[in-house]
Amino acid sequence: MADYAEITYAVDERVATITLNRPEARNGYTIRMSDELGAAMDRADRDEDVRVVVLTGEGKDFCVGADLSQGGFDFDPARGPDPEWQEPAGRCAKRVYTMNKPVIAALRGAAVGGGITITLPCDYRLASTDSKFGFVFTRRGIYPEGASAWFLPRLVGMGTALDWMISGRVFTADEALEKGLVHSVHEPDEVLNKAYELAREIIATTSPVSVAVTRQLLYRMASAETPFPVHALDSKLIGGLGTSPDAIEGVMSFLQKRPPEFGMRVDKDLPPYLPWLSE
């Protein structure tokens, strides 16, 4: 899917920018957009020239949620879906979750329903002063999607997740910042620039393999029943640092007071015993 109809994809200075591109519909979420987002995330994740992904929207809104005028399903509602069918927001959210590259969401205007749930697996969410958020499902007589009932409590705590999801109310960027949903708030015209600044810092200062492992460690192991399996995996990782070129470079660059030049690659240098590699 090199050509896209409802998103755009561009790479510059090792940053892939994926942009929702239906501004005439306030970037209303569709089946096609879902599948194109998944394909673009996959494309960025497999490209070793890409270090960071920035996810944003064209126009004044990030995404107002599902475009209800488009029907919302890729099956016959009278017959119901096949057992393997997956709802569209979750298709994108799961692909973001499995990324080896960090993903920064640059949000302005409305990010509501699927327009916010697809960003929950992102590593950073940067908002604008005009941002509005809402998990509005109960006000539409529908249910939370995008695996948001799993992601949201881990970001903001169960109490806040219950409030936002049960009430379905729309809330401001200030409340989102206070509760930990977003990392920072900026003027609307500055949000994307701030996302690129953050991306450039990550690229200049971190090891791509270390970032990939750390990102997945946090997601995959944070819900372990005890710390013991996490420590067992930590021990394997730390035990291999003596032969890790990036670890050696990280120490030497620190001692020599110079920027690091990490050479390991995500596509071939991830530790082979990571339990999630089979996915």
Side-chain angles (χ1 to χ4, degrees):
M1 293 183 65
D3 297 321
Y4 307 102
E6 299 189 356
I7 68 169
T8 61
Y9 182 95
V11 177
D12 184 47
E13 296 183 345
R14 308 200 73 184
V15 179
T17 302
I18 300 174
T19 306
L20 311 188
N21 192 32
R22 300 185 69 228
E24 74 287 351
R26 301 177 70 191
N27 294 321
Y29 197 74
T30 69
I31 297 289
R32 177 154 191 167
M33 181 182 285
S34 167
D35 292 341
E36 290 185 356
L37 283 170
M41 290 292 174
D42 195 60
R43 178 178 177 181
D45 213 20
R46 296 175 185 275
D47 185 352
E48 285 299 304
D49 287 333
V50 171
R51 283 290 319 276
V52 179
V53 175
V54 170
L55 175 64
T56 190
E58 185 66 30
K60 294 183 178 181
D61 293 293
F62 175 69
C63 177
V64 295
D67 187 341
L68 301 179
S69 69
Q70 300 294 308
F73 297 112
D74 48 357
F75 61 83
D76 181 355
R79 296 178 56 188
D82 294 333
E84 296 80 18
W85 183 80
Q86 299 182 1
E87 57 83 15
R91 300 178 199 179
C92 176
K94 289 199 306 181
R95 188 60 189 90
V96 176
Y97 170 84
T98 59
M99 292 285 286
N100 287 309
K101 316 288 176 69
V103 182
I104 304 168
L107 311 173
R108 61 174 298 183
V112 177
I116 185 61
T117 63
I118 63 171
T119 75
L120 297 183
C122 295
D123 303 85
Y124 299 90
R125 280 162 300 282
L126 277 56
S128 68
T129 54
D130 66 351
S131 288
K132 299 289 186 182
F133 303 99
F135 299 88
V136 297
F137 309 105
T138 58
R139 298 195 177 198
R140 306 292 181 269
I142 57 179
Y143 310 108
E145 31 70 308
S148 54
W150 189 90
F151 287 110
L152 187 60
R154 286 165 168 77
L155 294 172
V156 301
M158 185 61 76
T160 298
L162 285 166
D163 172 23
W164 287 348
M165 283 197 162
I166 289 177
S167 72
R169 64 183 176 84
V170 174
F171 53 94
T172 66
D174 288 341
E175 183 174 349
L177 180 64
E178 178 189 356
K179 300 298 186 180
L181 179 63
V182 302
H183 293 79
S184 56
V185 178
H186 310 277
E187 292 301 317
D189 292 339
E190 288 297 314
V191 178
L192 192 56
N193 289 335
K194 293 297 182 180
Y196 288 137
E197 286 181 16
L198 176 57
R200 287 192 291 269
E201 179 182 356
I202 292 170
I203 292 167
T205 61
T206 68
S207 154
V209 171
S210 180
V211 167
V213 173
T214 300
R215 185 183 195 279
Q216 290 298 316
L217 270 175
L218 286 166
Y219 263 142
R220 307 285 183 148
M221 307 300 283
S223 57
E225 291 187 1
T226 74
F228 300 120
V230 188
H231 184 242
L233 183 53
D234 291 348
S235 297
K236 285 186 178 181
L237 289 165
I238 300 304
L241 292 182
T243 57
S244 166
D246 274 7
I248 295 169
E249 169 62 12
V251 172
M252 293 304 297
S253 63
F254 173 76
L255 294 175
Q256 295 170 3
K257 296 182 172 56
R258 59 173 175 80
E261 297 181 8
F262 296 114
M264 294 174 67
R265 295 167 56 101
V266 173
D267 62 349
K268 63 180 182 180
D269 294 323
L270 289 175
Y273 49 80
L274 294 173
W276 52 84
L277 289 184
S278 60
E279 297 182 10

